[in-house]
Amino acid sequence: MSAVRAWLLVDVPRSRWQARCQRFFLAWLAFRQNAGAVAGLVIIAALVAVALLAPWIAGSTGVAPDLGNRLQPPGPVFWFGTDELGRDIFDRIVWGSRITLYIVGLVTLIVVPIGLAVGVVAGYVGGWLDSTLMRLTDVFLAFPRLILALAFVAALGPGLENAVLAIALTAWSPYARIARAEALTLRHSDFIVAARSQGIPHHRVLAGHVAPMCMSSVIVRLTLDMAGIILTAAGLGFLGLGAQPPTPEWGAMIALGRDYLLDQWWVPAFPGLAILVVSLGFNLLGDGLRDVLDPKSRS
Amino acid sequence: MPEGRTGSQLDRNRNSLLVLAPRRIAGTALSLVLTFAGLTAVTFAIARVMPADPVLAIVGDRAHQDVYDAVYRELGLDQPIFVQYLRYLGQLFEGDLGVSIMTAQPVLHDLLRFFPATLELATVATLLGVLVGVPLGVLAAVRQGRWLDHLIRTVGLFGYSVPVFWLGMLALFVLYAKLGWVAGPGRIDIFFDGMVEPVTGLILVDSALAREWEIFRNALGHLVLPAGILGIHSLAYLARMTRHFMLEQLGQEYILAARVKGVPERTVIWRHAFRNVLVQLITIVGLTYASLLEGSVLTETVFAWPGIGQYITSSLFNNDMNAVLGGTIVVGVCFVGINMGSDLLYRLVDPRAR
């Protein structure tokens, strides 16, 4: 153990691999100091674990009705009680974690490539292309996100994928701004000039040298944004425009539980708690990552 | 501090303001126009990709082909898409947002009726956010690292992690159904409905103008919970940003100089540091106000608040596209307008941004 530690903390790394490991280890040491950030990491890790192990954690599929056990209060058999169709709310929340992760993954897959591509090209190429792309980015940045998502879902029809698409449509613009700012400072740096003078074509410089340098800022921003994205997706689900029944999406579960609030509070209470915990996790993790990866904003 | 400057310096500052302001305003106006063009292009695209055939909606599916073609041409659907967009823009500028299927009224007319409720809700929510969030942020910065700072930061973290619609439901359940401390859903008790003459459409203002204090109290009882719930997010955000800005200022040398000089701590915090923060807060308050105007959709649904958000969602479920897109444009224009306005104000007030 101490040998590994010594290898990780040696003053002059011998190989690229060692240097890279070292950087991660030092970041981890700084990250570990931040109790909130570690709590956030634990929450997100738990979310991923629950989503992966859902078939083994949940006793039922969470979809099939069991009318004999309608609206049972929380107890030793049904930890979080049952809903109006007798489905175990705990099981539904467990299965719902997969949907939350699916939303997170899908938004990331759409938003990061678009934002990176627009921002990196704008910053690297400069000139009229830069101003055009940035004007476009500003236009999207100024859009009202939730209302536009509503209008999009209205046009495309309710559904989880459409809701995510609608969110992603307005979410990419901050990433373009971040990537442009990074690309702008890198454009004339020595290692880029060196790469160019070796005859590496522009698109490979962009993809292989400029884009990776933007990743840490992008990851920080993405983690901080994720809570908002989860809340927006849950909100669309709550309005009946996101995932459709019987999918155990947390926002939709709250909407179904609304009618039972007065006498069976547990039906809407627990899904909301799940949303709160997960978005809290992303916010905590994002704050911690920002302190570690982005020394400029350290206070 | 004008006494520290000579008269010619003041003159020069005033001149540079006069010279630079129009250029800034022109730049902002250009972004405003571009953003508006983008917004309308998106709503136009949504109107076009709707699976429903607008001609069929008018003539019905048993109409003769000639009739169909005539209406098709009359709607301008045979024109190039760019021409259609310009026509659409022209209609927007005349305030023609189409007719709502649900209410059979012009959409603009409906929106004007529903808008004051949203405005009232978002304004009171923002006021709550500013009046509570900003002092909390200052307090957290002054007590940095102590338990009060940690408490305020934790509350803030909770504030922007909680699903507002869920919190609203729980609050309604506890504070209204169980404890009876606040009035229930809606803007006003049904008994008082329509009793004050709508002048501004804002019930608080109208009832105060008519000196109907009982109605005013009733409306306030209805407003306080949804506004508080809606304001939580902006409260958390404002507290966080105020803390950040304050810490930035408190670390500066002029604060150290003031303290060394023996200026009382209260004066250092409020007269020196906070004054500089105030300018930065303009943009943040504008941003949160705009986002509350659009974010009220969920709160309105929970509290049966007859505002623009509810109008949009209920139209959505009735496939009333004119109403949905009209609402989107109106909220979008407010959103963009407030953001640009606060940006402009910031540039005018803060000499460093010029």
Side-chain angles (χ1 to χ4, degrees), chain A residues 135 142-147 152 154-155 235 238-239 241 258 261-262 268-269 272-273 276 279-280 283-284 287 290, chain B residues 31 34-35 38-39 46 50-51 157 160-162 165-166 169 173 177 240 294 298 301-302 316-317 328 332 335-336:
Chain A
R135 283 279 181 204
F143 277 171
R145 190 187 264 196
L146 187 62
I147 294 280
F152 255 85
F238 175 72
L239 291 174
L241 299 168
R258 230 181 127 182
L261 180 66
L262 284 181
L273 210 57
L276 172 63
S279 63
L280 204 59
N283 273 331
L284 284 168
D287 276 350
R290 186 184 45 192
Chain B
S31 338
L34 279 176
T35 310
L39 186 69
I46 293 174
M50 269 296 286
L157 206 57
Y160 43 78
S161 302
V162 71
F165 50 96
W166 176 74
M169 273 169 60
F173 171 60
R240 182 196 178 102
E294 75 137 356
L298 292 165
T301 308
V302 172
L316 220 157
F317 286 111
T328 307
F335 188 83
V336 172

Side-chain angles (χ1 to χ4, degrees), chain B residues 44-352:
Chain B
F44 175 70
I46 293 174
R48 290 271 315 182
V49 298
M50 269 296 286
D53 185 336
V55 182
L56 276 186
I58 292 170
V59 300
D61 55 356
R62 276 192 281 178
H64 197 268
Q65 187 64 37
D66 293 342
V67 181
Y68 182 95
D69 289 343
V71 175
Y72 187 82
R73 272 193 301 277
E74 198 182 317
L75 289 176
L77 294 174
D78 55 338
Q79 306 273 335
I81 226 154
F82 186 67
V83 177
Q84 287 188 43
Y85 173 63
L86 286 182
R87 262 177 79 138
Y88 174 75
L89 270 187
Q91 286 173 349
L92 285 186
F93 273 109
E94 287 169 7
D96 178 9
L97 300 171
V99 173
S100 158
I101 304 170
M102 201 170 55
T103 61
Q105 297 270 354
V107 170
L108 190 69
H109 178 263
D110 281 350
L111 288 172
L112 286 176
R113 211 154 48 87
F114 283 100
F115 191 67
T118 300
L119 191 68
E120 196 166 35
L121 182 64
T123 308
V124 174
T126 307
L127 280 178
L128 283 175
V130 172
L131 291 180
V132 181
V134 171
L136 279 184
V138 173
L139 210 60
V142 172
R143 294 260 181 279
Q144 191 197 2
R146 312 261 191 85
W147 66 268
L148 193 62
D149 181 27
H150 290 304
L151 182 73
I152 292 172
R153 288 175 73 182
T154 311
V155 170
L157 206 57
F158 174 82
Y160 43 78
S161 302
V162 71
V164 171
F165 50 96
W166 176 74
L167 193 66
M169 273 169 60
L170 294 191
L172 208 53
F173 171 60
V174 175
L175 298 178
Y176 166 64
K178 291 285 170 198
L179 299 173
W181 288 358
V182 295
R187 277 182 94 184
I188 197 159
D189 280 358
I190 213 143
F191 174 72
F192 294 118
D193 202 17
M195 270 178 61
V196 282
E197 189 72 23
V199 182
T200 57
L202 310 170
I203 289 189
L204 286 184
V205 177
D206 287 348
S207 57
L209 282 177
R211 301 187 185 283
E212 296 277 5
W213 298 114
E214 205 183 336
I215 299 181
F216 182 83
R217 263 201 303 280
N218 186 274
L220 200 62
H222 279 272
L223 182 63
V224 69
L225 191 59
I229 294 291
L230 184 61
I232 277 188
H233 194 268
S234 72
L235 187 155
Y237 185 59
L238 279 167
R240 182 196 178 102
M241 294 315 283
T242 309
R243 176 180 179 276
H244 178 78
F245 291 148
M246 274 303 276
L247 284 178
E248 230 171 50
Q249 293 298 331
L250 289 174
Q252 304 261 341
E253 282 182 354
Y254 74 91
I255 294 290
L256 186 69
R259 280 180 178 154
V260 167
K261 229 165 60 175
V263 176
E265 190 62 17
R266 254 172 87 137
T267 317
V268 170
I269 290 164
W270 292 104
R271 293 276 297 275
H272 292 249
F274 186 66
R275 272 212 179 165
N276 284 320
V277 168
L278 208 57
V279 182
Q280 289 171 297
L281 281 179
I282 292 175
T283 318
I284 305 293
V285 172
L287 264 175
T288 53
Y289 189 42
S291 74
L292 286 194
L293 265 186
E294 75 137 356
S296 64
V297 174
L298 292 165
T299 316
E300 284 178 12
T301 308
V302 172
F303 288 94
W305 195 261
I308 223 167
Q310 246 209 0
Y311 177 71
I312 293 177
T313 37
S314 62
S315 308
L316 220 157
F317 286 111
N318 288 306
N319 261 327
D320 191 346
M321 261 340 250
N322 281 342
V324 173
L325 292 177
T328 307
I329 287 174
V330 168
V331 174
V333 167
C334 291
F335 188 83
V336 172
I338 293 174
N339 279 345
M340 299 270 173
S342 59
D343 189 45
L344 205 63
L345 197 64
Y346 171 74
R347 285 172 195 274
L348 287 177
V349 171
D350 189 350
R352 285 165 301 185

